[in-house]
Amino acid sequence: MYMPWPLPDENWFADTSRQPEPDHEDLRLEALVAQRLSIDWTTRRQQITVAVQNRVVILAGVVSNANARQVAADLAYDVPGVFDICNTLRLSGPRRSHR
């Protein structure tokens, strides 16, 4: 069994329920990206959630086709101030069994 060795500055007994407050710029970018996705005809009816951390947009959820996935990433990247995109959108539809 492998036991992790703590770093000297780690406090294993610290209260982890308090997360750092998001940056105001990240909140602004999150709102702008969500607004753009809700306006565009390709992405407006898709199940997309938007999160932003350090100016990196994280797209998650389910979309109906590959075009909607690409359009969502393009729309998010076109927002001024966005540094990068993490596109984790999945395609909906029947799952194929791997044999």
Side-chain angles (χ1 to χ4, degrees):
M1 179 175 180
Y2 175 74
M3 295 297 290
W5 190 263
L7 296 174
D9 60 345
E10 286 182 338
N11 183 355
W12 287 39
F13 303 105
D15 181 16
T16 58
S17 64
R18 295 192 69 226
Q19 297 295 326
E21 290 294 320
D23 186 16
H24 292 293
E25 179 66 11
D26 288 347
L27 292 175
R28 184 185 74 80
L29 290 173
E30 186 176 313
L32 288 173
V33 170
Q35 181 182 25
R36 284 203 179 179
L37 293 177
S38 68
I39 291 172
D40 190 87
W41 284 98
T42 308
T43 56
R44 74 183 321 163
R45 303 234 187 261
Q46 308 296 324
Q47 299 173 4
I48 302 173
T49 59
V50 178
V52 179
Q53 292 180 347
N54 298 324
R55 299 184 318 150
V56 175
V57 176
I58 303 162
L59 300 174
V62 179
V63 292
S64 59
N65 57 49
N67 183 47
R69 185 178 191 271
Q70 183 62 46
V71 168
D74 292 343
L75 288 172
Y77 200 72
D78 286 341
V79 173
V82 170
F83 180 72
D84 201 3
I85 305 293
C86 177
N87 191 348
T88 63
L89 292 172
R90 297 171 309 185
L91 300 179
S92 66
R95 294 184 179 238
R96 298 180 192 157
S97 61
H98 297 284
R99 294 185 181 189

